[in-house]
Amino acid sequence: NLPIITSYTDSDPNNVICIGDTVTFTGAGTVALNYLYYLNGSLISNSTTPILDIDTLAHGDQVSLIIQDANSCYSDPSATFTYIVNQLPPVTLSSTEPSLVICSGTSVLFTAGSASQYQFFVNGNAATPLGGSQFYTTDSLNTGDIITVNGVSSGCVGSPDSMLFIVNPLPTITLSSDLGDTLCAGELIPFTST
């Protein structure tokens, strides 16, 4: 009798993944000796191990299985898993202060792009929830603060983009006069500022 595939599963139930994701395939059969995995009709693995991990799937790729017994008899091919592979969004970040050098208290508007959902972070702490808004505004930056944005599209998280700010303190101005607090009407007052 020819060997029969009794089980063929993958680790992604929807067959929708992000590029670079690892998918684990597992086969089982009657009197199986070798497990032959095919990608788009080409043999990619012939092993006694029933499990195969693939992290290089591309959009439209198809993976199927045939098993072989000790008599070199082959099973019928399995059903085929076909994959939708989504790209990682190329997240971008810009601001109204492109020099990244501001004065304390300056309001800065950050704008993210190239994804469908965004989340902003300040020094690794979430400043906004994950959502559809691509904007974040703050006036409380300090020197060394790092603003980072993560972007998500079709469930895939892109590489974050970030900005490091230098924040200069506002100058303190002291105004003084040598004439004291008592003046005559019309008297000119010389002031000194530091």
Side-chain angles (χ1 to χ4, degrees), residues 40 78 100 170:
N40 302 325
S78 68
L100 308 182
L170 297 177

Side-chain angles (χ1 to χ4, degrees), residues 118-155:
Y118 305 93
Q119 186 171 22
F120 291 87
F121 297 82
V122 179
N123 300 325
N125 299 310
T128 65
L130 179 64
S133 176
Q134 67 187 112
F135 303 108
Y136 170 62
T137 302
T138 181
D139 60 2
S140 58
L141 291 175
N142 297 302
T143 287
D145 280 351
I146 299 175
I147 306 297
T148 304
V149 63
N150 284 345
V152 180
S153 291
S154 301

